[in-house]
Amino acid sequence: MSDPRPTPSTLLSLPGAVAGDGVDAPVAAHYGSFNTEQRALEAGNGFVDLSHRDVVRLEGPDRLTWLHSLTSQYFTGLAPGVWTSALILSPQGHVEHAFTGVDDGEAFVAHTEPGAAGALLGFLERMKFMTRVELTEVTTDLAVTWRASTQGYDLVPRDQLHAYADAAGPAAGLWAFEALRIARGEPRHGLDTDARTIPNEAGWVGPAVHLDKGCYRGQETVARVHTLGRPPRRLTLLHLDGTENRLPTRGAELRHGEKVIGFVGTSARHHELGPIALAMVKRNVPLDATLDVEGMPAAQEVVVDPEVGLHVRPLR
């Protein structure tokens, strides 16, 4: 099982480091100026410490065909060194697990949200049957980072984190990383989604759901909504009123007039856009409607097309 209180990152000893909070408390929120750090990341400079994320290792000759049969992603023939994202769905198509990983020719190593490895491995163990696969949590051995120059993740031995930081610096905190992620419209599982979320609502059809593969649990829901369109809800980017020096509470009700029409997920202060957040909104809410969260007006920018359920946000 994952430790519910992860060990703080050793990179919190870097100059200026200020720890985050909530599930992100074990890593640095910033190193002195999250606006400067955002600009550096956008310019392709530096790295982000994501070592609080859980890491799992799947090895054995059947690992890729087995993942192909269980998940939303196409794993058969996955080449070594190619990063990919995948979902595990309920029979009704609700997202239960989400992970991103890479195969090295001997094992597939994936990272997921802090504290999520225990439930993920528990499900996978129950689905092994006679499959030649061995599952291990390796969070204490491997740390996740993100490097701006490659716009991608790295898996780093924990005892080499400081050497990595020296080579990949300057360090940028999670506040900068999250602001850019939210602006791109990329949700975090369990933070920007809930237990009812289907992939079509979150913009995961394409990035984490491969439409040209065989049967997997929950596929019928994904295919039906993709074919017919009009998912029940849609992920949207909120541009929040910046006159108040606060961000909304994660999970706060989102209202259109007197009606509750969704909930707010993660939020951040973007160096150009100001305060922004991701929210899950009922599909039929007008796209030009000004919404309200905790007394703050919020304008919408489309992330998921309400008619077809596909991610439409341009990269920033």
Side-chain angles (χ1 to χ4, degrees):
M1 294 292 290
S2 300
D3 187 344
R5 293 169 297 176
T7 302
S9 172
T10 60
L11 296 187
L12 284 173
S13 64
L14 293 179
V18 175
D21 55 18
V23 296
D24 298 326
V27 296
H30 63 86
Y31 296 88
S33 173
F34 62 90
N35 282 332
T36 300
E37 294 160 24
Q38 284 184 54
R39 295 188 182 97
L41 292 178
E42 285 192 323
N45 299 317
F47 78 98
V48 181
D49 178 14
L50 301 174
S51 61
H52 63 318
R53 291 183 66 81
D54 284 2
V55 185
V56 298
R57 177 182 173 89
L58 290 71
E59 56 187 319
D62 297 336
R63 66 189 181 282
L64 294 180
T65 55
W66 181 64
L67 284 171
H68 186 88
S69 70
L70 288 177
T71 76
S72 62
Q73 190 54 273
Y74 201 104
F75 278 97
T76 301
L78 180 67
V82 177
W83 283 84
T84 191
S85 296
L87 309 173
I88 294 175
L89 309 180
S90 74
Q92 294 75 34
H94 301 139
V95 181
E96 293 187 337
H97 305 283
F99 56 89
T100 297
V102 64
D103 198 81
D104 63 6
E106 296 183 357
F108 182 78
V109 182
H111 62 87
T112 187
E113 287 292 331
L120 173 60
L121 288 177
F123 172 82
L124 293 175
E125 283 286 355
R126 293 193 297 273
M127 302 303 293
K128 278 176 59 174
F129 304 112
M130 299 298 291
T131 308
R132 294 172 297 171
V133 178
E134 295 298 327
L135 312 173
T136 314
E137 181 173 358
V138 292
T139 306
T140 57
D141 301 318
L142 290 175
V144 182
T145 62
W146 187 89
R147 192 185 297 231
S149 60
T150 61
Q151 293 282 300
Y153 294 106
D154 288 325
L155 293 167
V156 183
R158 283 193 178 269
D159 60 3
Q160 297 178 26
L161 260 180
H162 278 273
Y164 176 92
D166 291 340
L174 201 67
W175 283 2
F177 180 80
E178 289 286 274
L180 300 180
R181 173 191 64 81
I182 292 169
R184 292 192 299 268
E186 298 174 359
R188 285 177 66 175
H189 179 240
L191 300 181
D192 296 305
T193 65
D194 61 12
R196 297 188 295 117
T197 299
I198 63 174
N200 316 67
E201 297 174 328
W204 277 326
V205 174
V209 176
H210 198 292
L211 293 172
D212 299 324
K213 61 167 287 185
C215 184
Y216 58 90
R217 193 169 76 156
Q219 181 191 27
E220 295 82 359
T221 297
V222 174
R224 182 174 65 253
V225 174
H226 180 71
T227 301
L228 300 177
R230 304 166 72 85
R233 300 179 299 177
R234 56 181 173 83
L235 189 72
T236 192
L237 177 67
L238 298 180
H239 293 267
L240 302 162
D241 187 325
T243 58
E244 297 190 45
N245 187 27
R246 62 188 177 100
L247 293 172
T249 306
R250 186 173 64 82
E253 292 180 342
L254 190 62
R255 294 178 176 270
H256 182 211
E258 296 300 317
K259 294 182 179 179
V260 176
I261 47 81
F263 68 91
V264 174
T266 54
S267 58
R269 291 180 174 87
H270 191 277
H271 69 102
E272 291 180 337
L273 303 177
I276 55 176
L278 290 177
M280 196 65 72
V281 182
K282 290 182 178 179
R283 183 195 57 79
N284 58 2
V285 174
L287 299 177
D288 60 354
T290 297
L291 308 180
D292 178 276
V293 54
E294 297 182 327
M296 288 180 282
Q300 304 174 71
E301 186 174 352
V302 175
V303 170
V304 171
D305 188 320
E307 297 303 317
V308 296
L310 294 178
H311 191 283
V312 299
R313 290 281 296 114
L315 294 177
R316 291 186 182 274

